[in-house]
Amino acid sequence: MTKALIVIDVQNDFCPGGALAVPDGDAVVAPINALMAEHDAVIYTQDWHPAAHSSFASSHPGKAAYEMIDMPYGPQVLWPDHCVIDSPGAAFHPDLGLSGDLIIRKGYRRQIDSYSAFFENDQSTPTGLHGYLQERGIGALTLAGLATDFCVAFSALDAARLGYDVTVDLAACRAIDLDGSLQAAIDKMKNAGVALI
Ligand code: VGL
Ligand code: ZN
């Protein structure tokens, strides 16, 4: 089966020193670079938010980062400002290999966040990635990157629901882990038939 590596959000703001630093986030770069040669296609996602995005705590007076709010599409964690369009924090980590096929940007609509590579957080607005993969005949996906319990897990769950053969390479992922979110994400991925290696 034709297989793709989906590299999730390996951007400066999710690495040490960044605005939403994932502990040890830059440790994913070397294993991800090594995975590229084993795949027929390499696709990157890039978190890409306008200033004053609705997922930023700074857009909600009186709210702090990591609090929850209710959005029209459901509960949403509020984040520090991160991955603002064209900012250095939104750039890929400088050591990430960029010889792959496609970059999918997500989260650029101000009113809706987007964790998954396939759908925005309303679970229905598509990014177009499914159509791209179908047209290329890609049936198997390996996911790696940041963060395990948010963008990687949401992407893996959508991919499983869409019928792909999905593997998450946990050695090439790192988590934010808010209030048990990592264990919850692992349980959901296992239940959905995602292979965790
Ligand atoms: C992510 C929080 C906000 C991620 C993106 O890449 O997991 N998390 N935006
Ligand atoms: Zn984001």
Side-chain angles (χ1 to χ4, degrees):
M1 200 186 310
T2 308
K3 60 180 187 172
L5 176 65
I6 314 283
V7 179
I8 306 286
D9 295 2
V10 181
Q11 294 166 259
N12 291 325
D13 269 343
F14 298 122
C15 290
L20 210 179
V22 177
D24 210 22
D26 55 347
V28 306
V29 173
I32 287 174
N33 286 343
L35 282 167
M36 292 181 183
E38 299 167 22
H39 290 81
D40 305 297
V42 179
I43 295 156
Y44 311 82
T45 65
Q46 190 171 26
D47 213 40
W48 196 248
H49 300 307
H53 190 255
S54 59
S55 76
F56 296 170
S58 62
S59 303
H60 303 270
K63 293 284 183 187
Y66 307 107
E67 283 183 41
M68 301 286 302
I69 57 160
D70 286 314
M71 296 289 248
Y73 54 82
Q76 165 76 47
V77 182
L78 293 175
W79 302 108
D81 292 23
H82 66 279
C83 297
V84 172
I85 291 173
D86 267 339
S87 67
F92 290 114
H93 186 285
D95 299 330
L96 182 68
L98 288 180
S99 59
D101 301 71
L102 176 75
I103 298 170
I104 291 275
R105 287 174 168 161
K106 59 186 181 63
Y108 50 80
R109 292 184 182 83
R110 206 171 70 81
Q111 296 306 336
I112 182 163
D113 204 6
S114 189
Y115 293 151
S116 166
F118 293 93
F119 296 100
E120 301 193 17
N121 285 8
D122 61 3
Q123 298 278 293
S124 63
T125 305
T127 63
L129 179 57
H130 184 43
Y132 177 86
L133 294 171
Q134 281 184 309
E135 191 167 21
R136 288 198 51 186
I138 293 168
L141 306 177
T142 306
L143 275 68
L146 305 170
T148 320
D149 40 346
F150 288 92
C151 292
V152 175
F154 275 66
S155 300
L157 293 169
D158 281 345
R161 186 161 54 84
L162 291 167
Y164 294 93
D165 177 337
V166 189
T167 300
V168 171
D169 189 333
L170 290 173
C173 297
R174 289 295 182 278
I176 298 174
D177 204 12
L178 287 179
D179 296 326
S181 58
L182 176 58
Q183 192 57 52
I186 285 178
D187 293 345
K188 278 191 200 164
M189 289 192 280
K190 278 188 182 156
N191 288 334
V194 173
L196 301 174
I197 59 167

